[in-house]
Amino acid sequence: MKVAVILPAAGLGTRMGKNSAEKAGTSRKQFMLLEGSPILLHTVRKFAASPRVSQIVVAVRLEDLPWVAELLAAEFPGPRVIVVVGGDSRQESVQNALKLVDPSTDLVAVHDAVRPFIDLETIHKVFDEAAETGAAIVGVPAVDTVKQVIRGTSHVRIRATLPREKLVMAQTPQVFRHDLLVRAFQAARDDGFIGTDESSLVERMDVEVSVVPGSDRNIKITKPGDMDLANLFLREEMAKEARP
């Protein structure tokens, strides 16, 4: 079974904040450095380590394409890892990347470029689930009480308390049959629908999406404080790999 992985990495990283970006020498979180390597590169390494991944497509902004392509080619020579121009939104970036996925691919996984701590065991579990059901994502149970609210001009009021046992916090990878994901994107384009993740596009087609348990370590690096945790996790990973 052939699996392609899409990494949308064209975001502007506005939530990271200007000061944090300047300290890292970049304006975007996916290119901030962890132990000397961009976060994006750490993420690519996780999927490149899987023998089940036949293709990795990285979507970046046009101005970043030359140097990102050079960076990835230096570590991953050959056609397995390719770079494509992304769009102004995640959905546009994934849509552009889908056009470069090998037509013979069975499954397509979409993963946040700034989640570099996904582990190989979870990757393979969600691949297996998607191979069986056609659609699967990684998620973790909600631990906080979640409130549904009504936003007014000057106040935010609670409308309902949502039962936590029925909620999960979606992570990535999100994995789907290749043909299903292509049809979901086509339907969204036809309807002018913009989703927050790939699963939301597939769900619109009355397709059940399975959830594979994720991990609290599979963090999405979006805020300045996340970098401290990311450095800690990376040091732990490096120490584990160094053990005899």
Side-chain angles (χ1 to χ4, degrees):
M1 179 167 286
K2 297 175 67 174
V3 182
V5 176
I6 293 175
L7 299 176
L12 293 174
T14 54
R15 280 178 289 182
M16 184 58 71
K18 183 178 179 181
N19 290 339
S20 296
E22 288 176 347
K23 289 178 182 177
T26 177
S27 61
R28 280 156 290 164
K29 57 200 174 187
Q30 62 270 36
F31 302 133
M32 294 177 74
L33 301 182
L34 284 175
E35 289 294 326
S37 295
I39 291 171
L40 170 63
L41 185 56
H42 287 282
T43 306
V44 173
R45 287 168 179 163
K46 292 297 177 69
F47 289 94
S50 171
R52 299 171 62 177
V53 173
S54 57
Q55 184 181 25
I56 299 173
V57 185
V58 182
V60 300
R61 301 187 75 80
L62 177 62
E63 61 266 30
D64 296 317
L65 193 146
W67 75 267
V68 173
E70 183 178 355
L71 174 76
L72 295 175
E75 185 161 339
F76 309 104
R80 189 184 182 204
V81 180
I82 58 177
V83 185
V84 64
V85 176
D88 291 331
S89 68
R90 174 196 178 95
Q91 191 163 315
E92 289 179 6
S93 291
V94 176
Q95 187 171 292
N96 289 353
L98 265 176
K99 297 174 185 176
L100 272 70
V101 169
D102 187 327
S104 65
T105 297
D106 300 293
L107 298 176
V108 178
V110 183
H111 185 72
D112 297 320
V114 288
R115 288 190 192 269
F117 299 107
I118 183 66
D119 61 271
L120 201 57
E121 181 180 2
T122 301
I123 290 173
H124 288 165
K125 282 182 178 179
V126 72
F127 285 179
D128 290 341
E129 183 66 24
E132 181 177 343
T133 65
I137 71 169
V138 175
V140 294
V143 295
D144 295 320
T145 298
V146 181
K147 305 286 187 180
Q148 183 181 7
V149 300
I150 302 172
R151 297 185 183 276
T153 55
S154 58
H155 296 89
V156 177
R157 293 184 173 87
I158 294 172
R159 181 173 184 179
T161 299
L162 305 180
R164 282 183 301 188
E165 64 272 14
K166 294 184 178 181
L167 300 173
V168 295
M169 309 300 289
Q171 297 183 340
T172 61
Q174 301 194 352
V175 190
F176 311 93
R177 284 198 329 266
H178 184 194
D179 64 306
L180 173 60
L181 191 60
V182 170
R183 286 191 288 112
F185 268 85
Q186 182 62 55
R189 188 162 54 249
D190 292 344
D191 298 339
F193 176 80
I194 304 298
T196 54
D197 64 358
E198 293 65 47
S199 181
S200 63
L201 273 60
V202 172
E203 292 161 31
R204 295 177 67 244
M205 304 180 69
D206 293 326
V207 173
E208 289 189 351
V209 180
S210 302
V211 179
V212 170
S215 165
D216 292 338
R217 294 180 68 90
N218 186 23
I219 61 170
K220 184 177 182 180
I221 301 172
T222 57
K223 304 182 299 297
D226 295 337
M227 286 299 291
D228 293 334
L229 191 57
N231 278 291
L232 173 62
F233 285 171
L234 184 59
R235 287 195 297 269
E236 291 176 346
E237 281 190 356
M238 295 172 67
K240 185 177 180 181
E241 291 171 0
R243 291 174 194 151

